[in-house]
C-alpha cells in the first residue's frame, strides 16, 4: 500500500514539481510545497477529500497542449455570450412589461380629478334639513353658489382620494443575475498555479505525509479527469451564469410579464373604473341630480286675479328649508354668474366618463343622460355644474332646464303650479 502511494506521489512530483525533492539517503522525509501541505492538512482536519493542486497540473497540460485549451476558451466564451444575450433579452421583456403597467396607470385623470377637486364644496354648513355645500367663485357681489339643487338628500358629499381608493402595490421587478467579468482561462490558471506553489517548500516526515494523504483519500490529478477539472473551473468562474440566465428567463421574467404585470393592469383598470363609477353614482351623483321640482302655488298664497304676489323671505322655498342665509338667486345674481364664468354645455359622458346614470322616480327605475352647464370662474378657476336641458324617463321626455329666478323679489307665474328647479345661493350675514 505504501509503495503504491509513494509511486503516485513521485508521479505527481514529476508532473507538477510540487514535491521538490526526496532524500535518497534517508527516505524518512519528503519535501513538498508549503501551500500543498497546508491545504492537505486543512482537509484532513475537517474530514474532507483533497485531490492535490489541480491548477499547477492543468497549467502543465495547457503548456503541452495549447490547442486543447483554445477549444476550452471558445466554450467558455460561448457560454458567457449566450448568458449575456439571454439577460439582454430579459431586460427588454421586463421593460415592455413595465411599459404596459405605466400605460395602464397613465390614464386621463382630468375628468375625475375635476370632480374631486373642481366641484367639491369650499365649505359645508348645517341647514334646517341637513348639510349643504357652497363654492366661492370669487364673484364681486360675494355670492356663494350651492353645489347642488334644492331638495337633494345629501348636498355636500366629498369624493374619495383616488390613490387611497386604488390601494394597489405595483409588482416588484425581478433582479437579473449579474454577469461575471469576461474570462481568459489561460491567465486564470497561470495565476492560480502561482498561488499554489507560493511560499516555497517544507520538509515533512514521510510517515506523517503518507498518513495525511490517506486521510484525504488523495488521488493525483490525471489526464483522464482533465475535462472534469476544467468544467469545474468553468462553473466556478461563470458561476453557472448560463443556467441562471435561462432559469431567470423561464421563471421570474415569464411570471413578471405574464402574471404580475397583467394582473396589476387588470386590477388597476378595475379599480379606476369602479372609482370613476362611484364618483358619478355615489360620491358626486348629487352634482348631476336635478333635485326636487317645486310649485309656488302649493306653498304660497297667490293672487288669483293678478297671478303675482310680493315675495318675502318667509315665502322663499330655499330660505324656509335651508335657513336665513340661503335664498333663491335673483336675476342680478344669475347675470353676474354668467358674466364672470365661462359657460360650457356638457353631458355626463364627458363630465366624468361614467356613461348613463340610473335614477329612481315614483318607484320606477329609468336610465338616461343628463346634460347641463359647467360654469368655470374667470377669477379662480373653480367650477359650478348645473344640470339642465332635457333628460329621458322610460316613455317621456322631461324638461329639466328651467330654474326659478327672482326678479326684483316679484314672482310672476302664468301657471299656478309650475314645476321648476332651484339652485340656492348663500350669503354670510
Amino acid at each position: 500500500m505504501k509503495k503504491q502511494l509513494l509511486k503516485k506521489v513521485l508521479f505527481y512530483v514529476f508532473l507538477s514539481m510540487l514535491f521538490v525533492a526526496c532524500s535518497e539517503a534517508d527516505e524518512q522525509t519528503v519535501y513538498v510545497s508549503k501551500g500543498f501541505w497546508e491545504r492537505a492538512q486543512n482537509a484532513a482536519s475537517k474530514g474532507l477529500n483533497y485531490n492535490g493542486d489541480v491548477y499547477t497540473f492543468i497549467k502543465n497540460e495547457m503548456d503541452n497542449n495549447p490547442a486543447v485549451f483554445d477549444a476550452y476558451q471558445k466554450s467558455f466564451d460561448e457560454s458567457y455570450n449566450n448568458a449575456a444575450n439571454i439577460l439582454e433579452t430579459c431586460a427588454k421583456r421586463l421593460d415592455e412589461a413595465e411599459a404596459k403597467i405605466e400605460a395602464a396607470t397613465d390614464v386621463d385623470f382630468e375628468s375625475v380629478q375635476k370632480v374631486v377637486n373642481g366641484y367639491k364644496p369650499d365649505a359645508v354648513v348645517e341647514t334646517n334639513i341637513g348639510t349643504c355645500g357652497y363654492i366661492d367663485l370669487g364673484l364681486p357681489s360675494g355670492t356663494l353658489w350651492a353645489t347642488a339643487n334644492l331638495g337633494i338628500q345629501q348636498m355636500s358629499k366629498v369624493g374619495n382620494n383616488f390613490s387611497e381608493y386604488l390601494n394597489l402595490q405595483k409588482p416588484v421587478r425581478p433582479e437579473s443575475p449579474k454577469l461575471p467579468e469576461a474570462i481568459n482561462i489561460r491567465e486564470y490558471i497561470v495565476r492560480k498555479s502561482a498561488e499554489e506553489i507560493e511560499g516555497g517548500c517544507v520538509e515533512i516526515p514521510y510517515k506523517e505525509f503518507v498518513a495525511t494523504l490517506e486521510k484525504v483519500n488523495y488521488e493525483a490529478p490525471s489526464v483522464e479527469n482533465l475535462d472534469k477539472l476544467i468544467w469545474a473551473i468553468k462553473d466556478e468562474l461563470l458561476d453557472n451564469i448560463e443556467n441562471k440566465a435561462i432559469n431567470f428567463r423561464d421563471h421570474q421574467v415569464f411570471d413578471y410579464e405574464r402574471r404580475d404585470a397583467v394582473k396589476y393592469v387588470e386590477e388597476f383598470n378595475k379599480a379606476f373604473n369602479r372609482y370613476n363609477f362611484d364618483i358619478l353614482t355615489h360620491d358626486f351623483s348629487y352634482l348631476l341630480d336635478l333635485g326636487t321640482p317645486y310649485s309656488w302655488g302649493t306653498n304660497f298664497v297667490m293672487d288669483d286675479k293678478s297671478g303675482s304676489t310680493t315675495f318675502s323671505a318667509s315665502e322663499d322655498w330655499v330660505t324656509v328649508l335651508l335657513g336665513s342665509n340661503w335664498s333663491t338667486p335673483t336675476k342680478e345674481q344669475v347675470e353676474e354668474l354668467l358674466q364672470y364664468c365661462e359657460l360650457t354645455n356638457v353631458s355626463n359622458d364627458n363630465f366624468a366618463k361614467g356613461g348613463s346614470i340610473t335614477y329612481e322616480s315614483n318607484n320606477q327605475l329609468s336610465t338616461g343622460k343628463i346634460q347641463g352647464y359647467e360654469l368655470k370662474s374667470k377669477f379662480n378657476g373653480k367650477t359650478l355644474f348645473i344640470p339642465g336641458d332635457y333628460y329621458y324617463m322610460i316613455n317621456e321626455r322631461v324638461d329639466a332646464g328651467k330654474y326659478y329666478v327672482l326678479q326684483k323679489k316679484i314672482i310672476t307665474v302664468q301657471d299656478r303650479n309650475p314645476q321648476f328647479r332651484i339652485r340656492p345661493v348663500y350669503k354670510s350675514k
Side-chain angles (χ1 to χ4, degrees):
M1 174 67 182
K2 291 182 179 179
K3 289 182 179 180
Q4 291 177 346
L5 182 61
L6 184 58
K7 287 181 179 180
K8 289 183 178 181
V9 171
L10 292 175
F11 177 69
Y12 186 63
V13 169
F14 174 75
L15 292 176
S16 66
M17 297 179 292
L18 288 176
F19 307 137
V20 178
C22 179
S23 172
E24 295 180 357
D26 185 0
E27 293 186 355
Q28 301 303 310
T29 60
V30 175
Y31 288 92
V32 63
S33 77
K34 183 179 179 180
F36 175 90
W37 183 239
E38 288 177 350
R39 287 184 283 276
Q41 285 184 308
N42 182 60
S45 67
K46 296 179 180 179
L48 304 175
N49 290 342
Y50 180 59
N51 295 324
D53 288 349
V54 297
Y55 292 106
T56 302
F57 169 76
I58 294 173
K59 178 181 180 300
N60 292 330
E61 290 298 316
M62 183 175 67
D63 293 340
N64 294 329
N65 300 284
V68 172
F69 282 84
D70 287 341
Y72 282 131
Q73 181 67 58
K74 182 179 179 181
S75 177
F76 272 46
D77 293 342
E78 288 176 352
S79 294
Y80 183 89
N81 293 334
N82 188 38
N85 291 334
I86 291 173
L87 293 179
E88 182 180 358
T89 301
C90 289
K92 291 179 180 178
R93 284 170 55 178
L94 291 173
D95 288 343
E96 291 171 357
E98 284 194 317
K100 291 179 181 178
I101 293 174
E102 293 304 318
T105 56
D106 188 24
V107 297
D108 178 16
F109 285 100
E110 182 179 352
S111 55
V112 174
Q113 292 304 316
K114 179 167 58 178
V115 175
V116 175
N117 300 320
Y119 291 100
K120 69 182 180 181
D122 290 319
V124 176
V125 296
E126 293 291 335
T127 72
N128 296 338
I129 59 171
T131 60
C132 184
Y134 62 74
I135 293 179
D136 183 358
L137 299 169
L139 301 175
S141 68
T143 300
L144 308 171
W145 283 81
T147 53
N149 287 352
L150 186 63
I152 299 172
Q153 185 177 6
Q154 173 61 280
M155 298 176 65
S156 59
K157 193 166 187 177
V158 179
N160 295 310
N161 181 284
F162 181 72
S163 61
E164 296 173 357
Y165 187 91
L166 182 60
N167 198 26
L168 289 178
Q169 295 295 325
K170 286 187 178 180
V172 178
R173 176 171 174 154
E175 186 174 350
S176 170
K178 303 299 181 185
L179 274 171
E181 294 182 4
I183 297 163
N184 184 305
I185 188 172
R186 283 188 168 83
E187 292 178 358
Y188 180 78
I189 290 174
V190 169
R191 184 173 72 251
K192 297 296 287 187
S193 174
E195 293 174 0
E196 285 181 342
I197 62 175
E198 186 179 10
C201 296
V202 291
E203 185 179 6
I204 308 298
Y206 176 76
K207 291 184 178 180
E208 181 182 351
F209 176 72
V210 171
T212 299
L213 295 189
E214 287 180 342
K215 285 182 181 179
V216 298
N217 296 316
Y218 177 76
E219 182 177 358
S222 64
V223 176
E224 287 76 13
N225 62 8
L226 177 63
D227 196 62
K228 181 179 178 181
L229 297 175
I230 292 293
W231 291 115
I233 293 174
K234 176 184 176 183
D235 289 342
E236 175 189 348
L237 295 179
L238 293 180
D239 194 23
N240 291 305
I241 188 63
E242 187 174 5
N243 290 335
K244 287 182 178 180
I246 293 172
N247 181 74
F248 180 71
R249 177 196 65 197
D250 294 345
H251 293 88
Q252 290 95 324
V253 173
F254 182 87
D255 286 346
Y256 182 78
E257 67 178 356
R258 300 293 178 87
R259 183 192 65 190
D260 298 338
V262 169
K263 182 178 179 181
Y264 178 84
V265 170
E266 290 176 349
E267 291 300 315
F268 181 91
N269 289 335
K270 287 179 183 177
F272 178 75
N273 292 335
R274 186 169 62 249
Y275 173 74
N276 195 25
F277 177 79
D278 287 350
I279 281 291
L280 278 176
T281 60
H282 183 259
D283 291 330
F284 283 90
S285 60
Y286 74 89
L287 290 172
L288 301 179
D289 198 319
L290 291 165
T292 302
Y294 291 91
S295 302
W296 295 111
T298 59
N299 193 45
F300 308 117
V301 177
M302 309 293 287
D303 185 336
D304 291 335
K305 294 181 180 180
S306 65
S308 64
T309 184
T310 302
F311 192 76
S312 65
S314 63
E315 296 170 331
D316 187 341
W317 270 110
V318 177
T319 306
V320 171
L321 294 176
L322 300 184
S324 60
N325 286 21
W326 295 92
S327 64
T328 299
T330 65
K331 179 174 178 287
E332 290 74 21
Q333 287 172 322
V334 172
E335 289 174 345
E336 178 189 51
L337 179 70
L338 297 176
Q339 180 182 356
Y340 294 112
C341 290
E342 297 176 359
L343 181 67
T344 305
N345 190 344
V346 298
S347 72
N348 66 310
D349 281 341
N350 57 28
F351 176 77
K353 295 185 177 179
S356 298
I357 302 173
T358 299
Y359 308 99
E360 186 172 348
S361 176
N362 300 323
N363 297 320
Q364 290 183 326
L365 290 177
S366 58
T367 59
K369 295 181 178 180
I370 279 191
Q371 292 184 322
Y373 295 91
E374 180 182 279
L375 295 106
K376 186 175 182 180
S377 172
K378 297 177 181 178
F379 294 109
N380 56 24
K382 294 181 181 179
T383 307
L384 186 70
F385 182 80
I386 299 180
D389 201 16
Y390 293 97
Y391 74 102
Y392 291 84
M393 304 297 287
I394 294 177
N395 297 313
E396 141 182 55
R397 184 179 187 220
V398 179
D399 187 345
K402 295 180 178 179
Y403 284 75
Y404 279 116
V405 176
L406 301 184
Q407 299 187 36
K408 297 181 179 179
K409 293 293 183 180
I410 300 294
I411 290 290
T412 302
V413 293
Q414 302 299 322
D415 185 344
R416 187 173 187 79
N417 298 311
Q419 297 280 305
F420 291 166
R421 316 286 169 171
I422 307 176
R423 176 57 64 97
V425 293
Y426 181 84
K427 251 192 172 183
S428 57
K429 297 178 181 179

